[in-house]
Amino acid sequence: MMSLISADSGDSTARIWTIADGPSGTSAQTSAPRPLVLKHFKGKTNEKSKDVTTLDWNGEGTLLATGSYDGQARIWSKDGELKNTLNKHKGPIFSLKWNKKGDCLLSGSVDKTAIIWDAKTGDVKQQFEYHAPTLDVDWRNNVSFATCSTDKMIYVCKLGESRPVKSYAGHQDEVNAIKWDPTGTLLASCSDDFTAKEIYTIKWSPTGPGTNNVNQQLVLASASFDATIKLWDIEKGAQLVSLTSHSEPVYSVAFSPSGEYLASGSFDKCLHIWSVKDGSLVKTYRGSGGIFEVCWNKEGDKVAACFSNNTVCVLDFRL
C-alpha cells in the first residue's frame, strides 16, 4: 500500500516527498527524490519566525494546512500550491485542525486566542480569547471544540457562543495536549503535573464505536519526553504496550485511518511506523532534523511531518 507522510519544519518551507519502496533501514527508504518545496517565506526573515510548528490534512486529503511561528496559517493543495494565507493571530500558532466537514479550520496561538476560519474564503468566523497561551485545540464536532493552555485550564467552546460552554480545572500545571475520542464523548488531556516524565501529546485511535473500524478496540496513545510511546486500554486503564525505539523526546504520534498503524516523530530525526496490533516497528524514515508533528491523510497513503530544520515533508511509502 502506498502512503504519504507530512511533517513540521524550520527553513520556512514545506516539502512533498516520494519515498521509494524498501524494507525498514534500507537506503531506498532513507533517501528520496528531489522534493516539492512549499515555501512559507521569500527573502530574508528572522530565523525563529520561520519555524513551521504544526500541520493537518483535511478529511479528503486534498488540502494541507500549516501553522507557523510567524502567526500565519497557510492552506496548500496536495500538489504544493499555496491556496490561502490566514492573517489574524499576533503570535506563534502551536496547533491547528480541520473540522470533519472540511469547511472550517481551527487554530490556537500564543496570542491567547483560538480562531475558527472559513476554509474557503479565509475569513474569520469567530475569535475566542479565554486563555493564556493556547497550546492545543481539537474539534469535538463540526461546530464545537476544546482548547488547552499554559494556564492549566481546558475549555469547551462552540461557534456562535461568546463564552465557553464548559470548563475543566483539574490540572496543576500547563496542559500540553487534548484529544476527543471518535464519538466526542471522552476528552483526554495530558499535562506537566504530577509526572516524573512529562507527556507531550496524546491521540485516540480511529477505532471502536462511531468510527469506520467499529470492530476494533479503542486505544489511546501517549508520547513522552522520555522517548517512549505507550498504548492504553481505556476501559481497563491498563497499558497495552510500550514502544521504545526512539532515542530522544517524542513530540507527535498519529494513527493511520485504518487504526492498524501508528506514526511517531521524535527529535532523534526519525519517523517510525509501528504495528498497533503487536507493537512491532514496521518502517523508519530518517530526516535531517527533529520532528515536531506527524499526520496521515484520509487514504492512509501519505504522512506529513514537520522538521526542526525548517522543512515540511509529505512522504509516500509502501508498508
Side-chain angles (χ1 to χ4, degrees):
M1 180 180 69
M2 294 296 293
S3 301
L4 286 186
I5 305 183
S6 324
D8 301 336
S9 160
D11 62 355
S12 76
T13 68
R15 301 180 184 227
I16 298 178
W17 302 80
T18 300
I19 306 302
D21 294 346
S24 180
T26 65
S27 59
Q29 179 189 356
T30 55
S31 61
R34 187 177 183 85
L36 175 62
V37 179
L38 314 182
K39 293 185 177 181
H40 286 62
F41 297 93
K42 294 182 179 179
K44 294 182 178 180
T45 185
N46 178 274
E47 286 298 316
K48 189 63 177 176
S49 73
K50 297 192 298 182
D51 286 350
V52 182
T53 55
T54 183
L55 48 74
D56 195 37
W57 289 100
N58 70 345
E60 297 302 313
T62 56
L63 297 172
L64 180 67
T66 61
S68 176
Y69 217 91
D70 68 349
Q72 297 185 42
R74 295 170 175 84
I75 300 175
W76 310 81
S77 73
K78 64 181 180 180
D79 299 319
E81 177 188 357
L82 180 62
K83 307 294 288 186
N84 214 334
T85 301
L86 311 180
N87 298 291
K88 182 67 174 178
H89 282 299
K90 300 184 183 303
I93 296 173
F94 280 172
S95 181
L96 55 75
K97 303 285 171 55
W98 292 93
N99 65 351
K100 292 182 180 179
K101 190 176 179 180
D103 62 341
C104 292
L105 187 68
L106 172 65
S107 59
S109 169
V110 172
D111 68 6
K112 304 180 182 180
T113 73
I115 294 177
I116 294 180
W117 308 84
D118 183 312
K120 186 174 183 179
T121 66
D123 295 335
V124 174
K125 283 180 168 284
Q126 190 170 349
Q127 188 166 16
F128 303 80
E129 187 172 1
Y130 311 138
H131 275 305
T134 304
L135 298 182
D136 198 16
V137 295
D138 197 45
W139 290 97
R140 183 182 187 186
N141 50 42
N142 285 313
V143 295
S144 64
F145 62 94
T147 65
C148 67
S149 171
T150 60
D151 62 13
K152 311 173 189 176
M153 293 294 296
I154 298 170
Y155 292 125
V156 179
C157 309
K158 186 176 182 180
L159 183 63
E161 298 288 340
S162 61
R163 299 299 304 165
V165 296
K166 188 165 289 189
S167 302
Y168 297 100
H171 284 295
Q172 302 301 310
D173 207 332
E174 64 183 52
V175 185
N176 295 321
I178 46 172
K179 293 294 178 292
W180 291 100
D181 80 324
T183 66
T185 57
L186 298 175
L187 180 65
S189 61
C190 64
S191 169
D192 291 346
D193 58 1
F194 302 127
T195 57
K197 300 181 177 68
E198 297 171 5
I199 297 174
Y200 189 80
T201 191
I202 47 178
K203 288 288 174 66
W204 292 97
S205 62
T207 53
T211 74
N212 294 327
N213 310 300
V214 66
N215 294 321
Q216 295 175 234
Q217 178 186 15
L218 178 64
V219 174
L220 183 69
S222 62
S224 173
F225 284 93
D226 68 359
T228 69
I229 303 157
K230 299 185 187 301
L231 303 182
W232 303 89
D233 180 327
I234 298 305
E235 290 187 2
K236 297 179 180 178
Q239 179 181 307
L240 296 171
V241 67
S242 181
L243 312 177
T244 59
S245 287
H246 285 296
S247 59
E248 292 192 36
V250 181
Y251 282 93
S252 182
V253 291
F255 286 93
S256 66
S258 67
E260 297 180 85
Y261 301 101
L262 182 76
S264 62
S266 166
F267 253 53
D268 63 7
K269 304 180 182 180
C270 288
L271 189 154
H272 291 326
I273 306 294
W274 310 83
S275 167
V276 173
K277 182 178 180 180
D278 60 13
S280 62
L281 182 59
V282 176
K283 201 109 182 179
T284 293
Y285 172 77
R286 179 175 292 275
S288 55
I291 299 173
F292 288 130
E293 188 163 8
V294 296
C295 65
W296 296 80
N297 69 342
K298 177 185 177 182
E299 291 76 20
D301 61 3
K302 302 182 190 303
V303 184
C306 305
F307 291 88
S308 63
N309 67 340
N310 313 318
T311 60
V312 175
C313 300
V314 180
L315 309 177
D316 186 357
F317 63 94
R318 288 177 181 161
L319 296 172

